[in-house]
Amino acid sequence: MEFLLVLGFPLAGGLVLAATGHWKRAAEINSAFSLLTLLAAALLTLRVIEHGPQLLFDEEIFIDPLNVFLVALTAFVGFTTSLFSRPYMRIEHDHGRLSSRRLRLYHSMFQMFSFTMLLALTTNNMGILWVSMEAATLTTVLLVSLYRTPASLEAAWKYFILCGVGIAQALFGTILLYFAAEKVLGGGSGALLWTHLDAVKGQLEPTVLSLAFVFLLVGYGTKVGLVPLHNWLPDAHAEGPTPVSAVLSGLLLNVALYAVVRCKVLADGALHSNLPGMLMMGFGLLSVVVAAFFLSRQKDVKRLFGYSSIEHMGIITFAFGMGGPVASFAGLLHMTVHSLTKSAIFFAVGHAAQKCGSQAIDDIRGLIKLSPTVGWGLMLGALAILGMPPSGVFASEFLILTTAMKEQPWATPILLIALGVAFAAIFGKVQPMVFGEPTAKRLPHKPAMLPVFIHLGLVLMLGLWIPPYLAEWYRQAAKLIG
């Protein structure tokens, strides 16, 4: 029942808002459906904690501590983003950047985007996982192109083409996975059920599965934004509405990486070698290094934090590539705190860009005097994402680095140098934005800063203390990853 509500509310919300999204109360309806989805996700989480993993609908749906944790995170960030988008999108409409028709498209696609992500997380069928990831791509293409400017249309087209090519690679990997499983499990849809594959992974053909994993890593890695498959991500973040940037960075990248991790579990069992882990560490490390050095060249604030997302997804991919209980625990923790922190940063950046009428870093100055809540929100968010103690990002990065020192010492200096470069680049650009001389006027609507400080408060709490039930949740999920 809880599962039906988790998928039913966003699907119903998308249909209702497609019909009524031109109403003045559409933003409130959007937030209401997001709240209902969050409550349903909380009930589903309690059921999994109490009764263990769930197999539903003839084993087509599988919910365990790994994906139910991501379901809860997705529903929570989706709800807070819907709260932020109420005043933000109203200002965009008042300034003439969006018509009522496009607002209806935004609200309906926001709910459909939530639906596709939640379906991708909860399906047990690797084929349906691919379909839902493709559906998420199509919904976000419409959201990225919402402003219909030449730059936003170019960003949406680039996103569609690059992620379309990537998802085609993932389809080929899924076909190879079915080919390897068919000899053991027989034909039919059962050969693509992840639980069935996991039970017989030691019997799968290693050569075929190694090829399948490479295609799946490249395909879903494109959606994660791993270098050199990352070119769509900074443009999509810069040209789409800020709430879309928040859910892209905070949620969609997690879902794509979840798909990679599920595939890695199968490949590890079949290959009995560290090839999948080495590939993930290689892509992750390359992403961290390239993104860190690109940060210093950015002049657009949303592109700046888009490259920061590439850097952090590289860190998480590297952690999962190392494997083991500590690295997997740290990867899951970093996934959580990155989602919370980066979405909070985009909330603050969105209000700052609206105040100054520009996303250019040089045009945003003196936020602390103009609007102390926006200024402090951006500054605290930047310090948190840079790993300053006692934030949760510091705790997860510390765990990842200390594990790397023990298991992959060659990678530790590379990570430290890249993190140092990223720190200097982001702090050097954010500091004058917050503490410089003001260059803007006040907004007609009060900014929605409550989601920012709720997110940052949670990140601070996770740096100082992880609740025992949450720590046990991470441990169970890390054990599933291996």
Side-chain angles (χ1 to χ4, degrees), residues 3-222:
F3 165 75
L4 288 175
L5 295 176
V6 166
L7 288 188
F9 283 133
L11 180 60
L15 296 175
V16 168
L17 286 163
T20 63
H22 58 283
W23 290 359
K24 287 186 177 181
R25 293 294 179 185
E28 285 75 10
I29 296 171
N30 187 35
S31 295
F33 274 107
S34 297
L35 176 59
L36 290 172
T37 304
L38 175 59
L39 294 175
L43 291 174
L44 182 64
T45 301
L46 291 173
R47 172 170 284 274
V48 172
I49 289 173
E50 185 176 349
H51 299 290
Q54 307 282 304
L55 273 170
L56 307 168
F57 298 102
D58 199 24
E59 298 187 82
E60 290 295 324
I61 300 300
F62 176 58
I63 302 161
D64 64 3
L66 173 58
N67 58 10
V68 80
F69 139 70
L70 288 169
V71 166
L73 181 63
T74 299
F76 177 75
V77 175
F79 171 61
T80 55
T81 304
S82 72
L83 293 179
F84 158 76
S85 71
R86 289 172 60 207
Y88 181 87
M89 299 305 279
R90 190 179 301 130
I91 293 169
E92 295 293 274
H93 179 264
D94 292 347
H95 287 179
R97 297 193 70 192
L98 289 175
S99 63
S100 298
R101 189 175 177 182
R102 288 189 200 152
L103 272 180
R104 177 167 65 180
L105 176 66
Y106 164 77
H107 288 125
S108 60
M109 286 302 104
F110 185 92
Q111 290 296 321
M112 294 306 293
F113 178 53
S114 296
F115 169 74
T116 55
M117 285 192 297
L118 292 168
L119 178 60
L121 288 171
T122 54
T123 183
N124 192 28
N125 191 307
M126 301 300 287
I128 296 176
L129 171 63
W130 180 86
V131 170
S132 53
M133 290 298 296
E134 176 68 2
T137 301
L138 295 176
T139 56
T140 42
V141 164
L142 295 172
L143 290 170
V144 169
S145 64
L146 197 66
Y147 289 129
R148 299 295 191 271
T149 62
S152 68
L153 291 172
E154 180 188 348
W157 184 246
K158 183 187 288 189
Y159 174 43
F160 178 70
I161 293 297
L162 290 177
C163 288
V165 171
I167 213 75
Q169 306 296 314
L171 175 61
F172 190 58
T174 305
I175 293 170
L176 286 173
L177 184 62
Y178 178 82
F179 180 69
E182 187 183 21
K183 296 178 181 179
V184 181
L185 295 170
S189 63
L192 278 178
L193 295 179
W194 188 86
T195 48
H196 291 191
L197 291 164
D198 186 48
V200 300
K201 59 190 176 186
Q203 303 171 46
L204 300 177
E205 174 60 41
T207 306
V208 176
L209 209 68
S210 61
L211 279 173
F213 180 75
V214 170
F215 279 104
L216 289 163
L217 175 60
V218 171
Y220 291 129
T222 305

Side-chain angles (χ1 to χ4, degrees), residues 151-467:
S152 68
L153 291 172
E154 180 188 348
W157 184 246
K158 183 187 288 189
Y159 174 43
F160 178 70
I161 293 297
L162 290 177
C163 288
V165 171
I167 213 75
Q169 306 296 314
L171 175 61
F172 190 58
T174 305
I175 293 170
L176 286 173
L177 184 62
Y178 178 82
F179 180 69
E182 187 183 21
K183 296 178 181 179
V184 181
L185 295 170
S189 63
L192 278 178
L193 295 179
W194 188 86
T195 48
H196 291 191
L197 291 164
D198 186 48
V200 300
K201 59 190 176 186
Q203 303 171 46
L204 300 177
E205 174 60 41
T207 306
V208 176
L209 209 68
S210 61
L211 279 173
F213 180 75
V214 170
F215 279 104
L216 289 163
L217 175 60
V218 171
Y220 291 129
T222 305
K223 299 280 289 183
V224 178
L226 298 177
V227 174
L229 316 164
H230 67 288
N231 286 330
W232 65 271
L233 195 150
D235 289 343
H237 280 65
E239 301 304 332
T242 300
V244 177
S245 303
V247 292
L248 273 176
S249 198
L251 300 180
L252 182 63
L253 307 187
N254 283 353
V255 177
L257 188 54
Y258 161 82
V260 173
V261 169
R262 285 290 198 202
C263 298
K264 178 182 181 287
V265 172
L266 301 177
D268 282 339
L271 301 182
H272 303 293
S273 74
N274 199 32
L275 174 64
M278 292 301 292
L279 285 172
M280 288 182 70
M281 283 191 287
F283 273 107
L285 204 58
L286 180 64
S287 301
V288 175
V289 172
V290 171
F293 283 94
F294 267 100
L295 284 168
S296 60
R297 300 177 54 187
Q298 301 312 307
K299 298 184 181 347
D300 182 295
V301 65
K302 287 172 70 178
R303 284 181 69 89
L304 176 76
F305 288 108
Y307 273 104
S308 172
S309 293
I310 296 172
E311 176 208 358
H312 284 277
M313 295 314 292
I315 292 171
I316 299 167
T317 304
F318 178 82
F320 287 138
M322 280 195 296
V326 178
S328 297
F329 182 99
L332 292 167
L333 177 60
H334 199 80
M335 193 180 272
T336 307
V337 293
H338 173 257
S339 292
L340 294 171
T341 309
K342 190 58 62 65
S343 51
I345 288 172
F346 275 115
F347 297 161
V349 162
H351 286 311
Q354 280 186 333
K355 283 180 179 294
C356 300
S358 171
Q359 293 177 191
I361 292 172
D362 290 341
D363 293 338
I364 302 174
R365 290 290 184 269
L367 291 172
I368 201 74
K369 297 177 182 176
L370 186 67
S371 176
T373 54
V374 174
W376 279 116
L378 179 57
M379 194 71 229
L380 293 174
L383 290 173
I385 205 66
L386 290 172
M388 287 292 287
S391 72
V393 180
F394 169 77
S396 57
E397 286 183 350
F398 182 81
L399 281 173
I400 292 168
L401 282 168
T402 51
T403 307
M405 288 177 188
K406 180 182 177 182
E407 298 183 7
Q408 307 292 338
W410 59 271
T412 308
I414 302 173
L415 279 172
L416 286 170
I417 291 169
L419 290 172
V421 171
F423 186 99
I426 292 178
F427 189 77
K429 291 179 183 298
V430 169
Q431 191 268 340
M433 290 170 63
V434 175
F435 297 108
E437 285 301 314
T439 58
K441 297 178 291 185
R442 293 189 178 275
L443 285 172
H445 297 287
K446 187 178 180 181
M449 294 303 292
L450 183 61
V452 176
F453 293 107
I454 289 174
H455 283 210
L456 294 179
L458 289 172
V459 171
L460 177 62
M461 181 195 77
L462 291 173
L464 296 170
W465 174 70
I466 301 177

